[in-house]
Amino acid sequence: MEIVVNHVTKTIKNITVIEDVSLTLTSGTIYGLRGVNGSGKTMLMRLIAGLIRPTEGTITIDGKVLGKDISFPPDIGMLIENPAFIDHYTAAQNLKLIANIHRKVGEERIREVLEQVGLGADDPRKYKQFSLGMKQRLGIAGAILEYPALLLIDEPTNALDTDGIEMVRDLLLEQKQRGALIILACHDFSVLRELSDEIYLVREGRVTPYETQDKSE
Amino acid sequence: MFIKFLDHDLRYGIGRAKKRLIVTFIMFFFLSIYHFWTLRIFELTDPQYLESPVTTADYFLALIGGCGKVNLISGAENDFVMPTMWFVFVLWMQFTSLYYPFAELNGIGKQLMVLSGSRGNWWLSKCVWTIINTITNYLIVFAASTIAGLCFGAKPSMQANWYVSRELYMKVDDLTSSTTWNIWSVFLMTGFTMIVLALVQLILSLILKPVQSYFVLAGYLFAGAYIQNPVFFGNYAMGARNALLVSTGLTMPFGILLGIWLAVLSIGIGYFVFQYRDILGSDLS
């Protein structure tokens, strides 16, 4: 998979949230996004996910223009902002709902991925009874469930304990090894630096390669 | 993919919303009792009103009847009486389909839509869900009023009696019948109007926000209660504005054509807007 972000600008209510961003992203790589709150990291992810449209410029996925040739990137997994699931479903029921869209994976994979993120496949508790950390784990499970070619992961370590952060590291490296293109935004710079092949600094909607002199950011 | 979305919407948006359906039933069951008290007052004050047996249609018409045409002639006495019962009915009906599409879009729906690769299927599924949800709630209102009527001794019939006209503030000289009306077509027209208004609300709620769209619609319905005109489509949901009951009422064939046009327009505009505009996560957070 190759994603080309070509001079993309996004303006919302007369505020430029993404300004003239150009990037080329390829499979088997983890791209880290570093920036303060409101810098434009999540907005860039929303643009690549097809949730919002660029005001100027284009985003192409394997040569197909997002919003013109395709509505959303094919073969995508995402955790953008907070995980959103059905309150009165269990973890397994929620994942089954996601799996039902493509029917690429079955019960066995659902069990496997729930075990991987540290949730019990037979846990009878409903989503609304989950702690924040459990919700985050389920969000990660939902994102990687179908072995997506593109993974958009926004703040995966939110609400996780040290074991959880370790789990995120292992899972993302595993996804990278199987060839996924991963875009990762994370406030924990040690995690970002350890996992990312390339890091970009997002500041006031502009995206530049992260250099060592930017360490003060 | 559309079928999968619809299946999800029916399970999650109606099947899992049993509490709301039960509230609808209880609310309209008790509101129907109000008509029973009105009948008792008729019995005490004007016994001639009750020469014909009370029917379940009387109970239902008391809910959805609204009020007759308001006299808007300059200098004439303003005879507008707020059709409170009708307002409760239409506003509740619209409320039942207000939040689900918006909440689903901001919840798991966003993920399902991205995975499906199609915005259009999501939108069409929500339109069909809105239609089915409105029909379901409308039938529950009808059942609640009918059961309330039966509990208080009404005869099971769709033949409404002319005395209901007094309750609906219909002008006596405008009535199309001096005895009874079969209100099947009024029943169907009111249901159809509710569906059209729910579809209009659906597109408004995605462009604005649910609460804002609800207030816009409430204002539109209020204007319609005051001014009898096809432009205010809510008029077609009022029995007392229907040409079947009053000679100055609105005719149903034109209402049906207008309703189909409004429904198709709402679905079409929504489809277009949803394809090309930022509806998903365009807030600045």
Side-chain angles (χ1 to χ4, degrees), chain A residues 10 12 15 17 43 46 49-53 71-72 76 78 81 84-86 88-89 94 97-98 100-103 142-143 146, chain B residues 1 4-5 8 11-12 16 106-108 110-119 275-285:
Chain A
K10 180 66 188 175
I12 298 175
I15 297 169
V17 289
M43 209 53 82
R46 286 173 180 168
L51 295 171
I52 56 174
R53 306 285 195 223
S71 289
F72 300 107
I76 181 177
M78 61 176 200
E81 297 148 340
F85 290 99
I86 294 178
H88 45 264
Y89 278 12
N94 269 302
L97 192 64
I98 292 173
N100 266 343
I101 294 286
H102 292 134
R103 299 209 170 127
E146 295 183 317
Chain B
M1 197 56 73
K4 283 181 184 173
F5 271 123
H8 164 70
R11 281 171 199 269
Y12 183 45
R16 287 280 176 172
N106 287 287
I108 198 165
K110 193 183 292 184
Q111 191 161 355
L112 297 179
M113 189 189 330
V114 172
L115 286 174
S116 76
S118 166
R119 291 178 179 220
Q275 289 286 343
Y276 299 106
R277 278 191 58 183
D278 291 341
I279 294 175
L280 306 162
S282 59
D283 53 294
L284 291 169
S285 61

Short mmCIF file of all heavy atoms in Angstrom, two decimals, chain A residues 10 12 15 17 43 46 49-53 71-72 76 78 81 84-86 88-89 94 97-98 100-103 142-143 146, chain B residues 1 4-5 8 11-12 16 106-108 110-119 275-285:
data_model
loop_
_atom_site.label_atom_id
_atom_site.label_comp_id
_atom_site.label_asym_id
_atom_site.label_seq_id
_atom_site.Cartn_x
_atom_site.Cartn_y
_atom_site.Cartn_z
N LYS A 10 -6.50 21.76 5.06
CA LYS A 10 -7.86 21.62 5.57
C LYS A 10 -8.22 22.85 6.41
O LYS A 10 -7.52 23.20 7.36
CB LYS A 10 -7.98 20.36 6.44
CG LYS A 10 -9.37 20.14 7.00
CD LYS A 10 -10.36 19.85 5.92
CE LYS A 10 -11.78 19.82 6.44
NZ LYS A 10 -12.76 19.67 5.37
N ILE A 12 -11.34 24.56 8.59
CA ILE A 12 -12.65 24.37 9.21
C ILE A 12 -13.03 25.67 9.93
O ILE A 12 -12.28 26.15 10.77
CB ILE A 12 -12.64 23.20 10.22
CG1 ILE A 12 -12.31 21.88 9.49
CG2 ILE A 12 -13.97 23.07 10.93
CD1 ILE A 12 -12.14 20.68 10.40
N ILE A 15 -10.54 28.35 10.08
CA ILE A 15 -9.28 28.06 10.78
C ILE A 15 -8.55 26.97 10.00
O ILE A 15 -9.12 25.91 9.70
CB ILE A 15 -9.55 27.59 12.24
CG1 ILE A 15 -10.22 28.71 13.02
CG2 ILE A 15 -8.25 27.15 12.91
CD1 ILE A 15 -10.76 28.29 14.37
N VAL A 17 -6.47 24.02 9.85
CA VAL A 17 -6.05 23.01 10.82
C VAL A 17 -4.94 22.12 10.25
O VAL A 17 -4.17 21.52 11.00
CB VAL A 17 -7.24 22.15 11.30
CG1 VAL A 17 -8.16 22.96 12.19
CG2 VAL A 17 -8.02 21.56 10.15
N MET A 43 -6.51 15.40 13.16
CA MET A 43 -7.13 15.89 11.92
C MET A 43 -6.48 15.23 10.70
O MET A 43 -7.17 14.86 9.74
CB MET A 43 -6.99 17.41 11.87
CG MET A 43 -8.07 18.14 11.13
SD MET A 43 -9.75 17.76 11.65
CE MET A 43 -9.96 18.78 13.07
N ARG A 46 -7.86 11.81 10.49
CA ARG A 46 -9.24 11.83 9.97
C ARG A 46 -9.24 12.02 8.46
O ARG A 46 -10.06 11.43 7.75
CB ARG A 46 -10.02 12.98 10.59
CG ARG A 46 -10.44 12.76 12.02
CD ARG A 46 -11.05 14.04 12.56
NE ARG A 46 -11.48 13.93 13.93
CZ ARG A 46 -11.83 14.97 14.69
NH1 ARG A 46 -11.77 16.20 14.19
NH2 ARG A 46 -12.22 14.80 15.92
N ALA A 49 -8.16 8.78 6.90
CA ALA A 49 -9.24 7.78 7.05
C ALA A 49 -10.43 8.06 6.15
O ALA A 49 -11.32 7.23 5.99
CB ALA A 49 -9.70 7.73 8.51
N GLY A 50 -10.48 9.27 5.57
CA GLY A 50 -11.61 9.61 4.70
C GLY A 50 -12.80 10.16 5.46
O GLY A 50 -13.88 10.32 4.89
N LEU A 51 -12.61 10.41 6.75
CA LEU A 51 -13.73 10.92 7.55
C LEU A 51 -14.04 12.37 7.21
O LEU A 51 -15.18 12.80 7.29
CB LEU A 51 -13.42 10.80 9.04
CG LEU A 51 -13.28 9.38 9.59
CD1 LEU A 51 -12.77 9.39 11.00
CD2 LEU A 51 -14.62 8.65 9.52
N ILE A 52 -13.01 13.12 6.85
CA ILE A 52 -13.22 14.50 6.39
C ILE A 52 -12.46 14.68 5.07
O ILE A 52 -11.55 13.91 4.76
CB ILE A 52 -12.76 15.55 7.44
CG1 ILE A 52 -11.29 15.33 7.82
CG2 ILE A 52 -13.64 15.51 8.66
CD1 ILE A 52 -10.74 16.42 8.74
N ARG A 53 -12.89 15.66 4.30
CA ARG A 53 -12.30 15.87 2.97
C ARG A 53 -11.33 17.06 2.99
O ARG A 53 -11.61 18.06 3.66
CB ARG A 53 -13.42 16.19 1.96
CG ARG A 53 -14.54 15.16 1.91
CD ARG A 53 -14.09 13.92 1.20
NE ARG A 53 -15.21 13.06 0.83
CZ ARG A 53 -15.22 11.75 0.98
NH1 ARG A 53 -14.20 11.12 1.51
NH2 ARG A 53 -16.26 11.04 0.58
N SER A 71 -14.42 6.11 -1.20
CA SER A 71 -14.89 6.91 -0.05
C SER A 71 -13.94 6.81 1.13
O SER A 71 -13.70 7.78 1.84
CB SER A 71 -16.27 6.43 0.40
OG SER A 71 -17.24 6.78 -0.53
N PHE A 72 -13.43 5.59 1.35
CA PHE A 72 -12.54 5.35 2.48
C PHE A 72 -11.39 4.45 2.01
O PHE A 72 -11.55 3.73 1.01
CB PHE A 72 -13.29 4.62 3.61
CG PHE A 72 -14.47 5.38 4.15
CD1 PHE A 72 -15.76 4.99 3.85
CD2 PHE A 72 -14.28 6.50 4.94
CE1 PHE A 72 -16.86 5.69 4.34
CE2 PHE A 72 -15.36 7.21 5.44
CZ PHE A 72 -16.65 6.80 5.14
N ILE A 76 -8.68 -1.05 6.11
CA ILE A 76 -8.20 -0.13 7.15
C ILE A 76 -8.64 -0.61 8.54
O ILE A 76 -9.71 -1.20 8.70
CB ILE A 76 -8.74 1.31 6.88
CG1 ILE A 76 -8.24 2.30 7.92
CG2 ILE A 76 -10.25 1.33 6.79
CD1 ILE A 76 -8.66 3.74 7.68
N MET A 78 -8.70 1.18 12.53
CA MET A 78 -8.39 2.48 13.15
C MET A 78 -8.87 2.58 14.59
O MET A 78 -9.85 1.96 14.99
CB MET A 78 -9.01 3.61 12.33
CG MET A 78 -10.50 3.56 12.21
SD MET A 78 -11.07 5.03 11.32
CE MET A 78 -12.78 5.06 11.84
N GLU A 81 -9.17 8.78 18.39
CA GLU A 81 -9.76 9.32 19.62
C GLU A 81 -10.23 8.19 20.52
O GLU A 81 -9.51 7.21 20.68
CB GLU A 81 -10.92 10.28 19.29
CG GLU A 81 -10.43 11.49 18.52
CD GLU A 81 -11.47 12.00 17.56
OE1 GLU A 81 -12.39 11.26 17.21
OE2 GLU A 81 -11.34 13.16 17.16
N ALA A 84 -15.18 3.44 20.35
CA ALA A 84 -16.65 3.55 20.39
C ALA A 84 -17.26 2.19 20.07
O ALA A 84 -17.07 1.68 18.97
CB ALA A 84 -17.11 4.59 19.38
N PHE A 85 -17.94 1.65 21.05
CA PHE A 85 -18.58 0.34 20.87
C PHE A 85 -19.99 0.40 21.45
O PHE A 85 -20.38 1.40 22.06
CB PHE A 85 -17.76 -0.75 21.56
CG PHE A 85 -16.45 -1.03 20.88
CD1 PHE A 85 -15.27 -0.48 21.36
CD2 PHE A 85 -16.39 -1.81 19.75
CE1 PHE A 85 -14.06 -0.71 20.74
CE2 PHE A 85 -15.19 -2.05 19.10
CZ PHE A 85 -14.02 -1.50 19.60
N ILE A 86 -20.70 -0.70 21.28
CA ILE A 86 -22.07 -0.75 21.79
C ILE A 86 -22.04 -1.13 23.28
O ILE A 86 -21.46 -2.14 23.66
CB ILE A 86 -22.92 -1.73 20.96
CG1 ILE A 86 -23.05 -1.17 19.54
CG2 ILE A 86 -24.29 -1.94 21.60
CD1 ILE A 86 -23.80 -2.04 18.59
N HIS A 88 -24.13 -2.25 25.53
CA HIS A 88 -24.69 -3.45 26.15
C HIS A 88 -24.25 -4.74 25.46
O HIS A 88 -24.88 -5.77 25.63
CB HIS A 88 -26.21 -3.35 26.23
CG HIS A 88 -26.83 -2.84 24.98
ND1 HIS A 88 -27.16 -1.53 24.80
CD2 HIS A 88 -27.13 -3.47 23.84
CE1 HIS A 88 -27.67 -1.37 23.60
NE2 HIS A 88 -27.66 -2.53 22.99
N TYR A 89 -23.19 -4.65 24.68
CA TYR A 89 -22.58 -5.85 24.08
C TYR A 89 -21.30 -6.17 24.85
O TYR A 89 -20.63 -5.28 25.36
CB TYR A 89 -22.20 -5.59 22.62
CG TYR A 89 -23.34 -5.72 21.61
CD1 TYR A 89 -24.66 -5.81 22.00
CD2 TYR A 89 -23.05 -5.74 20.25
CE1 TYR A 89 -25.68 -5.91 21.07
CE2 TYR A 89 -24.07 -5.84 19.30
CZ TYR A 89 -25.38 -5.92 19.73
OH TYR A 89 -26.37 -6.01 18.80
N ASN A 94 -19.08 -7.20 20.37
CA ASN A 94 -18.70 -5.99 19.62
C ASN A 94 -17.76 -6.31 18.48
O ASN A 94 -17.90 -5.79 17.37
CB ASN A 94 -18.06 -4.97 20.58
CG ASN A 94 -19.08 -4.02 21.19
OD1 ASN A 94 -19.79 -3.32 20.47
ND2 ASN A 94 -19.18 -4.02 22.50
N LEU A 97 -19.53 -7.90 15.60
CA LEU A 97 -20.24 -6.89 14.79
C LEU A 97 -19.30 -6.31 13.72
O LEU A 97 -19.68 -6.16 12.56
CB LEU A 97 -20.74 -5.79 15.72
CG LEU A 97 -21.72 -4.79 15.17
CD1 LEU A 97 -23.02 -5.45 14.78
CD2 LEU A 97 -21.99 -3.71 16.22
N ILE A 98 -18.08 -6.01 14.14
CA ILE A 98 -17.10 -5.47 13.19
C ILE A 98 -16.73 -6.53 12.16
O ILE A 98 -16.67 -6.26 10.96
CB ILE A 98 -15.84 -4.99 13.96
CG1 ILE A 98 -16.19 -3.77 14.82
CG2 ILE A 98 -14.69 -4.66 13.01
CD1 ILE A 98 -15.09 -3.33 15.74
N ASN A 100 -18.45 -8.88 11.07
CA ASN A 100 -19.58 -9.19 10.17
C ASN A 100 -19.58 -8.36 8.90
O ASN A 100 -20.23 -8.73 7.93
CB ASN A 100 -20.90 -8.98 10.90
CG ASN A 100 -21.40 -10.27 11.51
OD1 ASN A 100 -20.94 -11.34 11.14
ND2 ASN A 100 -22.31 -10.16 12.44
N ILE A 101 -18.89 -7.24 8.91
CA ILE A 101 -18.88 -6.37 7.72
C ILE A 101 -18.22 -7.10 6.55
O ILE A 101 -18.78 -7.18 5.46
CB ILE A 101 -18.14 -5.03 8.03
CG1 ILE A 101 -18.93 -4.23 9.06
CG2 ILE A 101 -17.91 -4.22 6.76
CD1 ILE A 101 -20.19 -3.57 8.55
N HIS A 102 -17.03 -7.63 6.77
CA HIS A 102 -16.32 -8.29 5.66
C HIS A 102 -16.38 -9.82 5.73
O HIS A 102 -16.16 -10.49 4.73
CB HIS A 102 -14.84 -7.88 5.66
CG HIS A 102 -14.65 -6.44 5.30
ND1 HIS A 102 -13.81 -5.62 6.01
CD2 HIS A 102 -15.20 -5.67 4.33
CE1 HIS A 102 -13.84 -4.40 5.47
NE2 HIS A 102 -14.69 -4.41 4.48
N ARG A 103 -16.60 -10.34 6.91
CA ARG A 103 -16.58 -11.80 7.15
C ARG A 103 -15.26 -12.41 6.71
O ARG A 103 -15.23 -13.50 6.13
CB ARG A 103 -17.77 -12.48 6.47
CG ARG A 103 -19.09 -11.95 7.03
CD ARG A 103 -20.20 -12.96 6.97
NE ARG A 103 -21.34 -12.47 7.72
CZ ARG A 103 -22.57 -12.38 7.24
NH1 ARG A 103 -22.84 -12.78 6.02
NH2 ARG A 103 -23.55 -11.94 7.99
N GLY A 142 -10.16 -4.12 18.07
CA GLY A 142 -11.01 -3.84 16.91
C GLY A 142 -10.22 -3.35 15.72
O GLY A 142 -10.51 -3.70 14.57
N ALA A 143 -9.19 -2.57 16.01
CA ALA A 143 -8.37 -2.00 14.91
C ALA A 143 -7.55 -3.07 14.19
O ALA A 143 -7.40 -3.03 12.98
CB ALA A 143 -7.47 -0.91 15.46
N GLU A 146 -8.83 -7.55 11.66
CA GLU A 146 -8.85 -8.16 10.32
C GLU A 146 -7.52 -8.04 9.58
O GLU A 146 -7.49 -8.03 8.35
CB GLU A 146 -9.97 -7.53 9.49
CG GLU A 146 -11.35 -7.83 10.06
CD GLU A 146 -12.48 -7.28 9.22
OE1 GLU A 146 -12.36 -6.14 8.75
OE2 GLU A 146 -13.46 -8.01 9.02
N MET B 1 -24.08 -5.00 1.51
CA MET B 1 -23.62 -4.16 2.62
C MET B 1 -24.78 -3.36 3.23
O MET B 1 -24.86 -3.21 4.44
CB MET B 1 -22.54 -3.21 2.10
CG MET B 1 -21.71 -2.59 3.18
SD MET B 1 -20.91 -3.77 4.28
CE MET B 1 -19.62 -4.43 3.22
N LYS B 4 -26.66 -5.44 5.62
CA LYS B 4 -25.94 -5.60 6.90
C LYS B 4 -26.14 -4.38 7.80
O LYS B 4 -26.35 -4.51 9.00
CB LYS B 4 -24.44 -5.81 6.63
CG LYS B 4 -24.10 -7.20 6.15
CD LYS B 4 -22.62 -7.32 5.93
CE LYS B 4 -22.29 -8.69 5.36
NZ LYS B 4 -20.88 -8.81 4.98
N PHE B 5 -26.06 -3.22 7.19
CA PHE B 5 -26.29 -1.98 7.95
C PHE B 5 -27.71 -1.95 8.51
O PHE B 5 -27.93 -1.61 9.66
CB PHE B 5 -26.06 -0.75 7.06
CG PHE B 5 -24.64 -0.26 7.06
CD1 PHE B 5 -23.93 -0.15 5.89
CD2 PHE B 5 -24.03 0.10 8.25
CE1 PHE B 5 -22.62 0.31 5.89
CE2 PHE B 5 -22.72 0.56 8.26
CZ PHE B 5 -22.02 0.67 7.08
N HIS B 8 -28.23 -4.30 11.33
CA HIS B 8 -27.62 -3.72 12.55
C HIS B 8 -28.53 -2.63 13.13
O HIS B 8 -28.78 -2.59 14.34
CB HIS B 8 -26.24 -3.16 12.19
CG HIS B 8 -25.68 -2.22 13.21
ND1 HIS B 8 -25.26 -2.64 14.45
CD2 HIS B 8 -25.50 -0.88 13.19
CE1 HIS B 8 -24.83 -1.59 15.14
NE2 HIS B 8 -24.96 -0.51 14.39
N ARG B 11 -31.69 -4.12 14.73
CA ARG B 11 -31.39 -4.79 15.99
C ARG B 11 -31.06 -3.79 17.09
O ARG B 11 -31.58 -3.85 18.19
CB ARG B 11 -30.16 -5.70 15.84
CG ARG B 11 -30.43 -7.01 15.18
CD ARG B 11 -29.09 -7.67 14.92
NE ARG B 11 -29.19 -8.70 13.92
CZ ARG B 11 -29.44 -9.96 14.19
NH1 ARG B 11 -29.60 -10.33 15.43
NH2 ARG B 11 -29.52 -10.85 13.22
N TYR B 12 -30.17 -2.87 16.74
CA TYR B 12 -29.62 -1.96 17.74
C TYR B 12 -30.52 -0.74 17.97
O TYR B 12 -30.72 -0.30 19.09
CB TYR B 12 -28.22 -1.54 17.28
CG TYR B 12 -27.48 -0.65 18.24
CD1 TYR B 12 -27.45 -0.94 19.60
CD2 TYR B 12 -26.80 0.47 17.79
CE1 TYR B 12 -26.77 -0.13 20.48
CE2 TYR B 12 -26.11 1.28 18.66
CZ TYR B 12 -26.11 0.99 20.00
OH TYR B 12 -25.44 1.80 20.86
N ARG B 16 -33.17 -3.01 20.49
CA ARG B 16 -32.54 -2.72 21.77
C ARG B 16 -33.12 -1.48 22.44
O ARG B 16 -32.61 -1.04 23.46
CB ARG B 16 -31.03 -2.54 21.57
CG ARG B 16 -30.31 -3.84 21.30
CD ARG B 16 -30.06 -4.57 22.61
NE ARG B 16 -29.44 -5.85 22.38
CZ ARG B 16 -28.99 -6.62 23.36
NH1 ARG B 16 -29.10 -6.23 24.60
NH2 ARG B 16 -28.45 -7.78 23.10
N ASN B 106 -21.59 8.82 15.68
CA ASN B 106 -20.49 9.20 16.54
C ASN B 106 -19.99 8.05 17.40
O ASN B 106 -19.07 8.23 18.20
CB ASN B 106 -20.91 10.38 17.44
CG ASN B 106 -20.98 11.65 16.63
OD1 ASN B 106 -19.97 12.21 16.23
ND2 ASN B 106 -22.19 12.06 16.30
N GLY B 107 -20.58 6.89 17.25
CA GLY B 107 -20.15 5.72 17.98
C GLY B 107 -19.57 4.69 17.02
O GLY B 107 -18.78 5.03 16.14
N ILE B 108 -20.05 3.48 17.15
CA ILE B 108 -19.49 2.38 16.35
C ILE B 108 -19.83 2.53 14.86
O ILE B 108 -19.14 1.98 13.99
CB ILE B 108 -19.97 1.01 16.89
CG1 ILE B 108 -19.05 -0.09 16.37
CG2 ILE B 108 -21.42 0.76 16.55
CD1 ILE B 108 -19.18 -1.41 17.07
N LYS B 110 -19.33 4.93 12.87
CA LYS B 110 -18.22 5.52 12.12
C LYS B 110 -17.25 4.42 11.68
O LYS B 110 -16.82 4.38 10.53
CB LYS B 110 -17.51 6.52 13.03
CG LYS B 110 -16.54 7.44 12.32
CD LYS B 110 -15.84 8.35 13.29
CE LYS B 110 -16.74 9.37 13.92
NZ LYS B 110 -16.04 10.31 14.81
N GLN B 111 -16.95 3.53 12.60
CA GLN B 111 -16.02 2.45 12.30
C GLN B 111 -16.60 1.47 11.27
O GLN B 111 -15.93 1.07 10.33
CB GLN B 111 -15.69 1.70 13.59
CG GLN B 111 -14.53 0.75 13.43
CD GLN B 111 -13.92 0.37 14.77
OE1 GLN B 111 -14.30 0.89 15.81
NE2 GLN B 111 -12.97 -0.53 14.76
N LEU B 112 -17.88 1.17 11.46
CA LEU B 112 -18.53 0.24 10.52
C LEU B 112 -18.59 0.85 9.12
O LEU B 112 -18.39 0.15 8.12
CB LEU B 112 -19.94 -0.11 11.00
CG LEU B 112 -20.04 -0.84 12.34
CD1 LEU B 112 -21.50 -1.09 12.71
CD2 LEU B 112 -19.28 -2.16 12.33
N MET B 113 -18.86 2.14 9.07
CA MET B 113 -18.96 2.81 7.76
C MET B 113 -17.61 2.81 7.05
O MET B 113 -17.52 2.51 5.86
CB MET B 113 -19.44 4.23 7.96
CG MET B 113 -19.79 4.92 6.66
SD MET B 113 -20.13 6.67 6.82
CE MET B 113 -20.78 6.84 8.42
N VAL B 114 -16.56 3.14 7.79
CA VAL B 114 -15.22 3.16 7.18
C VAL B 114 -14.85 1.77 6.69
O VAL B 114 -14.35 1.59 5.58
CB VAL B 114 -14.17 3.69 8.20
CG1 VAL B 114 -12.76 3.54 7.65
CG2 VAL B 114 -14.44 5.16 8.52
N LEU B 115 -15.14 0.76 7.51
CA LEU B 115 -14.82 -0.61 7.11
C LEU B 115 -15.61 -1.04 5.87
O LEU B 115 -15.11 -1.75 5.02
CB LEU B 115 -15.12 -1.59 8.26
CG LEU B 115 -14.14 -1.57 9.43
CD1 LEU B 115 -14.63 -2.47 10.55
CD2 LEU B 115 -12.75 -2.01 8.99
N SER B 116 -16.85 -0.57 5.80
CA SER B 116 -17.69 -0.97 4.66
C SER B 116 -17.25 -0.27 3.38
O SER B 116 -17.54 -0.73 2.28
CB SER B 116 -19.15 -0.62 4.94
OG SER B 116 -19.36 0.77 4.77
N GLY B 117 -16.55 0.85 3.53
CA GLY B 117 -16.07 1.58 2.35
C GLY B 117 -17.14 2.44 1.69
O GLY B 117 -16.92 2.98 0.62
N SER B 118 -18.32 2.56 2.32
CA SER B 118 -19.41 3.29 1.66
C SER B 118 -20.15 4.21 2.62
O SER B 118 -20.62 3.77 3.68
CB SER B 118 -20.39 2.28 1.06
OG SER B 118 -21.59 2.91 0.70
N ARG B 119 -20.24 5.45 2.26
CA ARG B 119 -21.06 6.39 3.04
C ARG B 119 -22.54 6.25 2.66
O ARG B 119 -23.42 6.39 3.49
CB ARG B 119 -20.64 7.83 2.75
CG ARG B 119 -19.29 8.21 3.27
CD ARG B 119 -18.96 9.63 2.88
NE ARG B 119 -17.65 10.03 3.41
CZ ARG B 119 -17.38 11.22 3.92
NH1 ARG B 119 -18.31 12.14 3.96
NH2 ARG B 119 -16.19 11.51 4.37
N GLN B 275 -22.14 12.38 1.08
CA GLN B 275 -21.02 11.95 0.23
C GLN B 275 -19.91 12.97 0.21
O GLN B 275 -18.74 12.63 0.18
CB GLN B 275 -21.51 11.74 -1.21
CG GLN B 275 -22.39 10.53 -1.41
CD GLN B 275 -21.60 9.23 -1.36
OE1 GLN B 275 -20.40 9.21 -1.48
NE2 GLN B 275 -22.30 8.13 -1.18
N TYR B 276 -20.28 14.25 0.18
CA TYR B 276 -19.27 15.26 -0.14
C TYR B 276 -18.94 16.23 0.98
O TYR B 276 -17.99 16.98 0.88
CB TYR B 276 -19.72 16.03 -1.39
CG TYR B 276 -19.85 15.12 -2.58
CD1 TYR B 276 -21.09 14.73 -3.07
CD2 TYR B 276 -18.72 14.61 -3.19
CE1 TYR B 276 -21.20 13.86 -4.15
CE2 TYR B 276 -18.82 13.74 -4.27
CZ TYR B 276 -20.06 13.38 -4.75
OH TYR B 276 -20.16 12.51 -5.79
N ARG B 277 -19.73 16.24 2.03
CA ARG B 277 -19.42 17.21 3.08
C ARG B 277 -18.79 16.54 4.29
O ARG B 277 -18.94 15.35 4.49
CB ARG B 277 -20.70 17.95 3.51
CG ARG B 277 -21.04 19.08 2.57
CD ARG B 277 -22.11 19.96 3.14
NE ARG B 277 -21.74 20.54 4.43
CZ ARG B 277 -22.56 21.29 5.14
NH1 ARG B 277 -23.77 21.55 4.71
NH2 ARG B 277 -22.18 21.79 6.30
N ASP B 278 -18.09 17.35 5.09
CA ASP B 278 -17.52 16.83 6.33
C ASP B 278 -18.62 16.70 7.35
O ASP B 278 -19.04 17.70 7.92
CB ASP B 278 -16.48 17.81 6.89
CG ASP B 278 -15.25 17.87 6.03
OD1 ASP B 278 -15.03 16.94 5.26
OD2 ASP B 278 -14.52 18.85 6.15
N ILE B 279 -19.08 15.52 7.54
CA ILE B 279 -20.06 15.33 8.60
C ILE B 279 -19.38 14.57 9.72
O ILE B 279 -19.73 14.70 10.88
CB ILE B 279 -21.28 14.57 8.07
CG1 ILE B 279 -21.99 15.43 7.05
CG2 ILE B 279 -22.23 14.21 9.19
CD1 ILE B 279 -23.12 14.79 6.38
N LEU B 280 -18.36 13.84 9.34
CA LEU B 280 -17.71 12.96 10.31
C LEU B 280 -16.51 13.64 10.95
O LEU B 280 -15.49 13.80 10.31
CB LEU B 280 -17.26 11.69 9.60
CG LEU B 280 -18.35 10.97 8.84
CD1 LEU B 280 -17.77 10.01 7.86
CD2 LEU B 280 -19.23 10.26 9.82
N GLY B 281 -16.65 14.05 12.18
CA GLY B 281 -15.50 14.54 12.94
C GLY B 281 -14.92 15.82 12.40
O GLY B 281 -13.70 15.99 12.33
N SER B 282 -15.76 16.77 12.00
CA SER B 282 -15.23 18.03 11.49
C SER B 282 -15.13 19.08 12.60
O SER B 282 -14.90 20.24 12.33
CB SER B 282 -16.11 18.55 10.36
OG SER B 282 -17.41 18.75 10.82
N ASP B 283 -15.33 18.65 13.85
CA ASP B 283 -15.13 19.59 14.94
C ASP B 283 -13.63 19.86 15.09
O ASP B 283 -12.80 19.13 14.57
CB ASP B 283 -15.69 19.02 16.26
CG ASP B 283 -15.14 17.65 16.54
OD1 ASP B 283 -15.47 16.74 15.76
OD2 ASP B 283 -14.38 17.49 17.49
N LEU B 284 -13.31 20.91 15.81
CA LEU B 284 -11.91 21.32 15.85
C LEU B 284 -11.10 20.64 16.95
O LEU B 284 -9.93 20.96 17.13
CB LEU B 284 -11.84 22.84 16.04
CG LEU B 284 -12.32 23.63 14.82
CD1 LEU B 284 -12.46 25.09 15.16
CD2 LEU B 284 -11.36 23.46 13.66
N SER B 285 -11.68 19.70 17.63
CA SER B 285 -10.94 19.03 18.71
C SER B 285 -9.87 18.13 18.15
O SER B 285 -10.00 17.63 17.05
CB SER B 285 -11.89 18.23 19.58
OG SER B 285 -12.53 17.23 18.83
#
